Amino acid sequence: MSPEPRHQALLSVRGLGVFRPGPGGEVAALRDIDLDLQPQECLGIVGESGCGKTQLLHALMGLQSGNVRLAGSVRFRGEELLGASAQRLALVRGRRLALVFQDALSALNPYLRIATQMTEGARAQLGLSRRAAWQRAATLLESLQIDAPARRLRQYPHELSGGMRQRVLIAMALMCEPDVLLLDEPTTALDVTVQAQVLAVLRELRARSGVAMIFVTHDLGVLAAIADRVAVMYAGRIVEQAAAAHLYATPRHPYTAGLLHSMPRLDTPLDTRLSTIPGQPPRSGATSTGCAFAPRCPLAHERCTQLPVLRCADNQFPANGTVACHYDGPAQGLREIWP
Amino acid sequence: MSAPVAVAERRPRRELWRRLCARRSTRAALLTLGLIVLAAVLVPWLSPYDYSSPSWTHIFTAPTWAGGQVFGTDALGRDLLVRVMWGCRISLLVGLVASVVSVVIGVLWGATAGYLGGRTDALLMRSVDVLYSVPFIPLVIVLNVLFGRHLVLVFIGIGAVSWLDIARIVRGQTLAICSREYVDAARALGVRTPAMICRHVVPNIMGIVIVYATLTVPAVILFEALLSFLGLGVQAPLASLGSLVADGASEMQSNPYLLIIPSILLALIVLCLNHLGDALRDALDPHEP
Amino acid sequence: MARFLLRRLLSALPTLLVIATLAFALLHLTPGGPFDSDRTLVAQIQRAIEARYHLDEPVWRQYLRYLNDLAHGDLGPSFTYRDTSVNQIIAQGLPIDLAIGGCAIGFALLVGGAIGLGAASRPGSLRDRLPMTLAMIGISVPSFVIAPLLILIFAMRLHWLPSGDWVGGSWRHLLLPSLALALPYTAFIARIVRASALDVMGNAHIRTARAKGLGDTAVLLRHALRPTLMPLVSYLGPALASVLTGSIVIEQVFGLPGVGRFFIGGALNRDYTLVMGLTLLYGALIIVGNFVVDLCYAWLDPRVRLNR
């Protein structure tokens, strides 16, 4: 069913599902997620809030809350992480996979100095001395364009600005030189100028160290600036996955087309209204047997009561990506479905 | 996520009741409390014994089914069942009246401070701060000694000291509500202050006030019991649960039931009320399913 | 820091003044005086006694005189315990209260904290529900009910520990009173710690700590413990105050010669200076308790700054 990895992927996810207890039985927050992350690649994941993006990242790190059940498989360099022992997971966290959290203020411990929080992981994982860890933290902060890093390290989170806190979180994730950096909406809470700064910092980081990234956001515009490949999520599933350039040029899923269509563009006349996708995403926990996007989809059809499987978007060029939609007409047709 | 809130807003009272009764322990607490109230009302009325007249032939009868003296009798041969039920009456009455007093004072004080703000707020809340440092149990003890042991005095004394918490909470809530945009919007539309307080402030603080009132009742009952235990509450021969515990404590070597029965009833009433307060808070909290 | 200390000290003074005035007014504006009940006294002797304690002066002069003495640290002579000053009574009784209260708070913190953390580590399990049910009962049973029950069980039936007959400096005599005083607070602290720990463990920064690959112990000790303690600290202020007043009852039950017993005796006998002195003592201790709580807050939480 799922395509086998062509060569050894750094991180390989198969059939990942996240289930949490609800009032009437288990509710799936995520279902049938297949992903591959190649070394040095940046994979973007995009979707509306509540579609399970954050759950996905937490599940990859084994950070889901206690009452949640996971299914499927998450392999890092062939080693299974799902259901691995706490000791094993602790070795992977921070050192192999590092996560940059969404809300920088609440993700930092308000009671501890920046230095303590940045160095404790590296000291525990790599056995660095206090001085060496401190030195590394200062260097990292400096490389993320934070001025006077020595002073920042002595401060508490509430004494930093929002952009600075976000960069501290990124630096913190880089302390153990991880192989994969997971970024959960790292730019969402920031001003546009700071957003651009952080993106520049991340791009520069990729160029320098070649760290692989999974970049989660709800903003396709941000992904255009950094991602090699983009996966679109809707209601806990991946509905389309393709190389970034390809996905932006010829979306294969009506939802992706809608997202692209609702982005403000420089070449549209100023007096046209920004278009939106009408309707609401299904509430998490709503169960439907068919395509979850069908209620909002202009192309909805009888066949959409059947769940569409992820298939090659273009049979002639299988590498161009996959899509989960019954529509198999010309891709150009999707351009016109949104008003 | 938003569904339970929406339902709660549509039919607030019924929804609250449903959530409250969802747990078995809450239903048990309600039932127990109801039975105690019923017994406190009915038993002294129906029983052939009364709480004050001594019966020298029945001194220290252990609990027995004979003659319906299921709780036994005390050092003066008085029926413990009737005395305990009188004690429950007093405790519940004190709890209720004093809580109402403290809620009224607390809400008015806190809402005024929070709504008017500025200097009035500073003055009112500073006085609450000062009153927090006043050792109140000793002060009420002194009050009781000075003015003789009127039950009314116990009511007022306790009610007047337990409003501080409520005042603080209500002020905080009022401040939070007044900073919301819909209040600004209403003000911009020319809604006047009294209407504003009635329509926007009071309904929004009612939930938390009810919770705290429910938790004030047991605290007040314990306070009254403490005073009566020290011999400063109700006048003999009338009994309250506190004075019954004190009487029982002096006889516990030979007749432990005199201590144990009133202790259990006191603990039971307070336990049920505490549990109800907790359950109410949970039911009003939109985070809990 | 020094400025903060000074400010707090200065703001405590008006509070104490309010307490003193309130107590003074209550005592003096109600009918009756300390020596009224002694009918055996000849009128002349009564007048002489009243003159000796300045009770014949107008109330406002008595008030000013009292404040003046107070400013010099003198709480005046006791009316009922002849030839004993209130200062002496406090010096005698307070150590006992502090010993019982200190033991009770210490016990409540250690045991209640441990129970609360244990319950929070497995929410919904038996380890959570059983102790929390007990804690619910615990906060509903006042110490004046627990105290006689403890005496009944441990002193009268099992004969393990003494119930009364105070002997100075004996820890065996302090055990039951401290325990009776401690149990309700233990239950309360267990509930607070459990709720707070559950709240904190759901915080985002705990997840960050786990994402760094820290072990459970490190996460708990370094990241979860401090925020868990914060609500406990703010509870401790009022708790310290109510432990003090709670010891009034405990002393009564166990026959301990602490200040609480003198207080009840003083109140019943209209011993003006004794009641006022002890009320001020309680007030001062409450103020000190709140002050310590504020210091703890500032020490634990870097966001709280003392120099406001």
Side-chain angles (χ1 to χ4, degrees):
Chain A
M1 194 172 87
S2 45
E4 283 303 309
R6 283 151 297 174
H7 44 89
Q8 175 78 49
L10 196 55
L11 190 70
S12 147
V13 179
R14 285 292 171 274
L16 180 67
V18 170
F19 304 90
R20 52 187 167 71
E26 263 187 352
V27 169
L30 279 187
R31 226 190 257 260
D32 303 335
I33 302 288
D34 291 344
L35 283 175
D36 281 304
L37 183 70
Q38 309 301 332
Q40 315 213 337
E41 187 186 25
C42 178
L43 170 67
I45 296 181
V46 70
E48 284 163 300
S49 50
C51 73
K53 296 166 296 186
T54 301
Q55 300 265 5
L56 172 61
L57 292 190
H58 287 174
L60 294 184
M61 300 270 294
L63 289 173
Q64 70 284 356
S65 41
N67 53 357
V68 160
R69 187 175 68 83
L70 298 185
S73 134
V74 175
R75 284 171 186 273
F76 175 79
R77 290 202 173 123
E79 184 199 356
E80 181 61 53
L81 297 184
L82 231 61
S85 70
Q87 287 92 332
R88 192 63 216 140
L89 270 181
L91 283 179
V92 172
R93 285 177 191 157
R95 198 165 171 183
R96 300 288 170 228
L97 307 180
L99 178 52
V100 176
F101 286 87
Q102 183 170 13
D103 178 2
L105 183 57
S106 64
L108 288 168
N109 187 334
Y111 300 96
L112 297 177
R113 289 178 203 281
I114 301 293
T116 319
Q117 304 194 49
M118 281 190 70
T119 56
E120 63 178 349
R123 292 180 62 197
Q125 295 274 16
L126 309 176
L128 290 187
S129 71
R130 185 188 294 266
R131 181 182 293 259
W134 203 90
Q135 201 55 53
R136 175 177 290 194
T139 317
L140 272 172
L141 287 184
E142 198 160 22
S143 74
L144 296 184
Q145 287 150 32
I146 287 182
D147 57 312
R151 203 184 62 188
R152 300 298 174 208
L153 282 172
R154 275 191 293 272
Q155 286 180 317
Y156 288 96
H158 68 276
E159 295 170 304
L160 304 184
S161 71
M164 235 188 282
R165 279 197 289 262
Q166 194 64 56
R167 276 178 283 175
V168 163
L169 268 191
I170 295 173
M172 199 154 91
L174 294 173
M175 279 297 285
C176 296
E177 296 175 337
D179 301 296
V180 181
L181 194 58
L182 309 175
L183 298 129
D184 189 358
E185 307 245 10
T187 56
T188 304
L190 305 178
D191 293 340
V192 181
T193 48
V194 187
Q195 211 172 57
Q197 262 179 39
V198 169
L199 281 176
V201 159
L202 287 173
R203 265 203 305 270
E204 204 260 331
L205 183 76
R206 278 191 70 199
R208 188 155 36 93
S209 68
V211 61
M213 291 181 185
I214 296 184
F215 193 111
V216 161
T217 177
H218 64 263
D219 187 348
L220 269 173
V222 168
L223 280 190
I226 192 157
D228 304 319
R229 209 147 48 85
V230 174
V232 181
M233 282 183 74
Y234 189 80
R237 287 178 199 268
I238 292 181
V239 293
E240 180 169 7
Q241 194 178 161
H246 210 82
L247 184 117
Y248 285 93
T250 48
R252 291 304 191 123
H253 195 282
Y255 178 59
T256 317
L259 282 183
L260 286 171
H261 190 70
S262 59
M263 273 170 62
R265 296 173 62 103
L266 281 177
D267 54 359
T268 44
L270 280 176
D271 53 352
T272 48
R273 288 181 61 172
L274 277 180
S275 72
T276 54
I277 303 177
Q280 295 266 315
R283 282 198 292 126
S284 75
T287 46
S288 74
T289 49
C291 173
F293 187 62
R296 300 168 75 183
C297 183
L299 295 179
H301 192 268
E302 262 172 49
R303 61 193 168 183
C304 296
T305 52
Q306 300 277 313
L307 188 70
V309 292
L310 214 55
R311 59 179 172 85
C312 286
D314 194 335
N315 285 330
Q316 288 162 343
F317 305 97
N320 276 355
T322 50
V323 64
C325 180
H326 293 296
Y327 173 76
D328 51 4
Q332 273 65 31
L334 286 173
R335 289 261 140 169
E336 278 79 51
I337 60 172
W338 297 100
Chain B
M1 279 294 261
S2 60
V5 179
V7 175
E9 272 163 5
R10 233 184 297 137
R11 298 171 118 175
R13 249 172 245 161
R14 184 178 293 188
E15 176 63 17
L16 184 65
W17 186 248
R18 190 189 64 74
R19 290 170 67 140
L20 197 59
C21 293
R23 278 195 296 181
R24 212 186 313 158
S25 53
T26 315
R27 290 199 299 266
L30 272 170
L31 188 72
T32 312
L33 207 60
L35 286 179
I36 291 176
V37 170
L38 204 68
V41 172
L42 290 182
V43 167
W45 188 44
L46 292 177
S47 171
Y49 309 98
D50 78 60
Y51 69 87
S52 58
S53 23
S55 162
W56 305 112
T57 52
H58 286 93
I59 292 174
F60 292 135
T61 319
T64 164
W65 289 110
Q69 296 191 309
V70 288
F71 284 3
T73 60
D74 69 358
L76 298 175
R78 297 173 294 194
D79 182 52
L80 191 62
L81 176 65
V82 172
R83 286 180 65 73
V84 164
M85 286 309 154
W86 264 100
C88 290
R89 280 186 179 187
I90 304 275
S91 290
L92 291 167
L93 198 66
V94 171
L96 220 61
V97 175
S99 299
V100 169
V101 172
S102 70
V103 165
V104 169
I105 302 178
V107 168
L108 287 178
W109 199 279
T112 313
Y115 191 80
L116 294 179
R119 234 180 242 173
T120 325
D121 179 31
L123 188 75
L124 290 178
M125 290 334 276
R126 183 76 196 117
S127 58
V128 169
D129 286 347
V130 170
L131 287 174
Y132 256 112
S133 301
V134 174
F136 266 115
I137 294 192
L139 215 63
V140 172
I141 291 174
V142 173
L143 264 174
N144 257 281
V145 172
L146 293 180
F147 292 101
R149 294 158 202 175
H150 284 299
L151 207 53
V152 181
L153 209 76
V154 178
F155 288 155
I156 297 174
I158 298 175
V161 301
S162 44
W163 59 271
L164 295 173
D165 284 325
I166 295 187
R168 272 197 178 169
I169 289 155
V170 167
R171 171 182 174 267
Q173 287 285 312
T174 312
L175 273 182
I177 290 162
C178 287
S179 69
R180 302 248 176 92
E181 270 149 27
Y182 68 80
V183 172
D184 283 341
R187 211 174 274 162
L189 287 172
V191 179
R192 284 171 200 283
T193 302
M196 199 75 153
I197 290 182
C198 293
R199 209 167 304 155
H200 292 294
V201 178
V202 171
N204 277 298
I205 57 176
M206 274 333 278
I208 196 147
V209 166
I210 288 170
V211 169
Y212 270 85
T214 318
L215 291 173
T216 305
V217 178
V220 165
I221 288 178
L222 284 182
F223 197 6
E224 186 277 332
L226 178 95
L227 286 178
S228 296
F229 181 85
L230 292 171
L232 299 167
V234 297
Q235 291 262 32
L238 196 60
S240 104
L241 288 176
S243 66
L244 287 171
V245 171
D247 293 349
S250 61
E251 302 286 350
M252 63 182 163
Q253 177 97 58
S254 44
N255 297 297
Y257 66 90
L258 284 176
L259 168 66
I260 291 169
I261 290 173
S263 299
I264 287 179
L265 259 136
L266 177 62
L268 211 56
I269 291 177
V270 175
L271 179 65
C272 289
L273 285 167
N274 273 334
H275 184 82
L276 281 182
D278 266 19
L280 257 176
R281 177 164 45 198
D282 289 351
L284 285 167
D285 185 359
H287 301 304
E288 296 262 324
Chain C
M1 187 65 192
R3 245 180 80 194
F4 169 76
L5 286 175
L6 199 69
R7 268 182 73 118
R8 283 302 296 253
L9 206 66
L10 286 177
S11 76
L13 288 179
T15 310
L16 280 176
L17 190 69
V18 169
I19 299 174
T21 312
L22 212 66
F24 191 89
L26 273 175
L27 288 167
H28 285 266
L29 296 181
T30 48
F35 302 107
D36 287 358
S37 52
D38 295 355
R39 293 206 192 101
T40 47
L41 285 182
V42 184
Q44 232 172 345
I45 296 178
Q46 183 170 351
R47 265 202 298 282
I49 293 176
E50 286 185 346
R52 187 178 149 213
Y53 292 116
H54 307 288
L55 290 173
D56 50 348
E57 290 175 5
V59 172
W60 63 269
R61 284 201 64 170
Q62 291 185 45
Y63 177 64
L64 289 182
R65 183 186 298 282
Y66 186 82
L67 288 188
N68 185 36
D69 287 349
L70 188 63
H72 292 94
D74 181 9
L75 294 168
S78 162
F79 293 167
T80 37
Y81 304 91
R82 307 274 154 91
D83 304 322
T84 314
S85 75
V86 176
N87 292 35
Q88 283 170 323
I89 289 177
I90 290 178
Q92 224 175 62
L94 192 61
I96 298 175
D97 289 271
L98 291 183
I100 299 176
C103 289
I105 286 281
F107 178 90
L109 278 177
L110 286 179
V111 177
I115 292 176
L117 286 179
S121 71
R122 291 261 186 287
S125 72
L126 193 69
R127 200 206 289 183
D128 175 27
R129 283 196 304 212
L130 184 70
M132 283 307 119
T133 311
L134 288 178
M136 189 76 206
I137 296 172
I139 62 167
S140 306
V141 183
S143 41
F144 64 84
V145 169
I146 294 173
L149 288 176
L150 286 179
I151 294 178
L152 183 65
I153 297 169
F154 290 102
M156 290 179 173
R157 293 287 141 97
L158 298 172
H159 301 287
W160 286 356
L161 291 164
S163 65
D165 311 320
W166 168 253
V167 185
S170 146
W171 67 269
R172 285 166 58 86
H173 283 81
L174 287 180
L175 213 57
L176 282 186
S178 307
L179 195 62
L181 192 57
L183 284 181
Y185 298 100
T186 313
F188 227 105
I189 287 175
R191 282 163 57 88
I192 291 177
V193 168
R194 173 185 180 270
S196 166
L198 282 181
D199 192 40
V200 168
M201 288 313 279
N203 276 1
H205 75 257
I206 298 297
R207 196 167 258 161
T208 314
R210 284 171 63 207
K212 283 179 211 169
L214 297 183
D216 284 348
T217 332
V219 171
L220 209 69
L221 291 182
R222 208 179 305 182
H223 291 274
L225 193 62
R226 227 191 311 185
T228 301
L229 289 181
M230 299 310 285
L232 190 59
V233 169
S234 50
Y235 166 69
L236 274 185
L240 286 175
S242 72
V243 160
L244 277 173
T245 43
S247 69
I248 294 179
V249 187
I250 297 295
E251 289 165 26
Q252 198 83 355
V253 176
F254 287 91
L256 301 177
V259 288
R261 291 194 68 203
F262 288 102
F263 184 81
I264 305 260
L268 290 171
N269 292 315
R270 298 196 174 223
D271 189 337
Y272 288 170
T273 46
L274 184 58
V275 168
M276 288 206 45
L278 293 183
T279 307
L280 278 171
L281 174 70
Y282 286 132
L285 288 172
I286 293 175
I287 293 173
V288 169
N290 286 336
F291 176 63
V292 171
V293 165
D294 282 0
L295 281 185
C296 283
Y297 245 113
W299 177 59
L300 284 172
D301 191 339
R303 286 168 299 183
V304 177
R305 257 175 283 145
L306 289 180
N307 310 316
R308 265 176 296 149

